[in-house]
Amino acid sequence: MKEQKRLLVNLIATAIAFAVQFGVNFILTPYIVNSLGSEAYSYIPIANNFVGYANIVSVAVYSMTSRFVSVEYNKGRPDRAEVFFNSALVSNLVVSLVLLIPSILVTLNIKHIINVPDNLLPDVQLTFGFAFANMLLTLATSAFGSVYYVTNRLDINARRNIEGNVLRAVVLIALFSLLPAKIYFLNATVLLVGVYLVSANFYYTHKLLPDIHPNLCKSTWSAIKEMLSSGIWNSFNQASNIMLTTLDLFLANLFAGSVATGQYSVSKTVPNFILSVITMLVGVFVPQLTIYYAKQQKEKLTNALSYSIRSMGFLCSFPIGFLLVFGTDFFHLWVPSQDADMLHWLSVLTLIPLAVSCCTEVVYNIFTVTNKLRTPAVVLFILGSINTVAAIALMKTTSMGIWAVPVVALVISIIRNLVFTPVYASRCLHMPVSLVYVPIARGMVCTVAMTLVCLCYRTIVHGTGTWFTFLAAVVICSCIAGIANIMVIFNKDERKRFFGMIASKLHL
């Protein structure tokens, strides 16, 4: 019960943190689009994507820090955990210094890399500069961020994220109220929050991991090599994920122009929010899976994996299913100056694979938990390469234009998530593949149910032309589908435990 309560606390706290972040972006995005245009707005996600490209190098070490420190610490070997912690700290500092020079060069020469109108060049350069500065700061100190994963205290991590986003919101409101709107305000405030979060990480590492101290002399080449031998495959994964999910804006900018890229970037805003939800929720479940694996509690690991998959499908079905049906209404209300129908159908092509990946993303993390990353990395790299080549070929040889990007990504994503990931994860855990596919199927049914409920509601109630009627549809459809889904994907004991924990937290 203690573990279930910790999971619930982590889930609620993390969800609140994300809701605050979502609120900031939800309110500001239409303001920026209306003030500066979708073309200017497109450079914000492009700058953030360039940070992802730089992270291909750094992810080899920092992505495995939490895993190795957590396994050693939870096996009762704090001295060994301290060695991995300090080895990661040294490696990340070195990589940060190496990446500093290309970050500066890219920022100064961005006009020669992507299409940037002359009137936006200074703002775009500042946008990239702030994005790279935050990346280097976060990378250099990322070892301290593992404290929440190691101790399974994601609730504390969520609380500091809430505080950081409140700080960001206050500063953003001040900037947009007192000064002319600029696109670099968003990344400048992200850097400010980054400084705050790094300070919090230092404090909580000292408080929650008193046996682990920063001491560069305690780093060892053998520990770095061990993390690199596993983490190098995460670098392949990072490169592959870029080709599958974030290179699209760069390609669109090169082959379809900045105007089309602006429209596509707006259409991806909400799907990207949902992808952030998926990443956030996965981060809640994976630490406990790692602890079970470290303690060799296979039955608990298997049950927790099944529960995590079904929970992911249940929670993500609400936004995905609703936007599949009411996307046009949403974009019309959110960014009324844009083509709502076009944005909706572009987003649909991104939402459909999310309906699958929300259930399989926890499964994909089994490769990190079991430290079996080579095969998934190679497969993902091949799929990412196919995705990139196919998208470029279609944009250059057909009239599909910007539509080629999400269509190809949809096909590749379904192949990855429904064919490879469940099969190989079951092999890593030495369990029947049906124990993975069954909860995935039940999780995906939730999105189908939510979509059908929304279609019925739209048939009966035609008007969602105001925010009030739109939000009413959200509440009504979510309640109906939620009740039906929770009866389908959770058994009696899980429902009783779930509602009991909710009631205890609400003091009912």
Side-chain angles (χ1 to χ4, degrees), residues 8 31 39 42-43 50 77 92 97 152-153 174 178 196 198 203 209 221 237 254 263 286 303 344 409 451 473 476 479:
L8 180 64
Y31 176 81
E39 180 182 16
S42 70
Y43 292 104
F50 266 74
R77 299 196 292 237
N92 292 330
L97 292 174
N152 197 20
R153 291 303 307 271
L178 301 175
Y196 170 76
V198 167
Y203 171 77
L209 295 174
W221 170 244
N237 282 335
L254 292 180
Q263 294 173 323
V286 174
N303 292 336
H344 169 54
T451 303
I476 295 172
C479 288

Side-chain angles (χ1 to χ4, degrees), residues 240 243 377-387:
S240 305
M243 289 188 287
V378 172
V379 170
L380 194 61
F381 187 79
I382 292 172
L383 292 176
S385 300
I386 294 172
N387 180 81

Side-chain angles (χ1 to χ4, degrees), residues 62-322:
Y62 84 74
S63 64
M64 297 303 293
T65 303
S66 297
R67 189 267 177 193
F68 278 95
V69 175
S70 179
V71 168
E72 297 299 333
Y73 194 83
N74 285 290
K75 282 184 176 180
R77 299 196 292 237
D79 292 342
R80 183 65 175 159
E82 189 176 34
V83 170
F84 278 110
F85 175 87
N86 284 290
S87 299
L89 183 59
V90 169
S91 301
N92 292 330
L93 286 170
V94 171
V95 174
S96 297
L97 292 174
V98 171
L99 290 175
L100 177 60
I101 294 176
S103 297
I104 294 174
L105 293 176
V106 169
T107 300
L108 294 177
N109 296 280
I110 192 61
K111 184 174 176 60
H112 302 293
I113 301 173
I114 61 175
N115 295 318
V116 183
D118 291 336
N119 64 308
L120 291 176
L121 182 58
D123 289 357
V124 171
Q125 287 178 319
L126 284 171
T127 299
F128 274 76
F130 285 124
F132 281 125
N134 183 62
M135 176 204 72
L136 294 172
L137 173 66
T138 304
L139 171 60
T141 60
S142 62
F144 294 92
S146 65
V147 56
Y148 313 107
Y149 185 103
V150 174
T151 58
N152 197 20
R153 291 303 307 271
L154 300 180
D155 55 316
I156 296 178
N157 185 44
R159 187 166 65 242
R160 73 183 181 92
N161 283 331
I162 293 174
E163 296 163 353
N165 279 297
V166 170
L167 172 64
R168 183 186 180 213
V170 171
V171 175
L172 277 172
I173 291 172
L175 289 173
F176 279 107
S177 300
L178 301 175
L179 300 172
K182 300 291 183 180
I183 58 175
Y184 60 78
F185 286 171
L186 272 78
N187 282 344
T189 53
V190 168
L191 175 59
L192 175 65
V193 173
V195 173
Y196 170 76
L197 296 182
V198 167
S199 302
N201 291 345
F202 288 159
Y203 171 77
Y204 283 112
T205 297
H206 175 73
K207 182 178 181 179
L208 298 178
L209 295 174
D211 298 325
I212 295 180
H213 305 92
N215 186 345
L216 302 185
C217 295
K218 290 189 176 182
S219 62
T220 65
W221 170 244
S222 61
I224 294 174
K225 184 178 179 181
E226 187 172 355
M227 286 188 289
L228 278 173
S229 64
S230 298
I232 191 66
W233 300 111
N234 277 333
S235 289
F236 272 90
N237 282 335
Q238 179 77 0
S240 305
N241 278 319
I242 284 172
M243 289 188 287
L244 286 169
T245 60
T246 64
L247 193 62
D248 51 2
L249 288 177
F250 179 59
L251 296 176
N253 180 274
L254 292 180
F255 295 101
S258 57
V259 175
T261 304
Q263 294 173 323
Y264 183 49
S265 65
V266 173
S267 76
K268 284 195 65 177
T269 302
V270 174
N272 281 343
F273 281 151
I274 297 174
L275 183 60
S276 299
V277 171
I278 294 172
T279 303
M280 174 266 292
L281 293 175
V282 168
V284 172
F285 293 113
V286 174
Q288 190 61 57
L289 297 178
T290 305
I291 292 172
Y292 286 147
Y293 180 78
K295 295 180 178 180
Q296 298 182 341
Q297 297 174 326
K298 184 175 180 180
E299 184 176 356
K300 287 186 176 181
L301 173 61
T302 303
N303 292 336
L305 177 62
S306 174
Y307 181 79
S308 301
I309 295 169
R310 289 177 284 128
S311 298
M312 289 289 295
F314 173 74
L315 294 170
C316 294
S317 67
F318 298 109
I320 295 174
F322 188 83

Side-chain angles (χ1 to χ4, degrees), residues 352-354 356 408-420 422:
I352 292 174
L354 285 181
V356 180
V408 174
L410 183 152
V411 175
I412 297 296
S413 177
I414 290 177
I415 293 173
R416 169 203 171 190
N417 289 302
L418 286 185
V419 178
F420 170 74

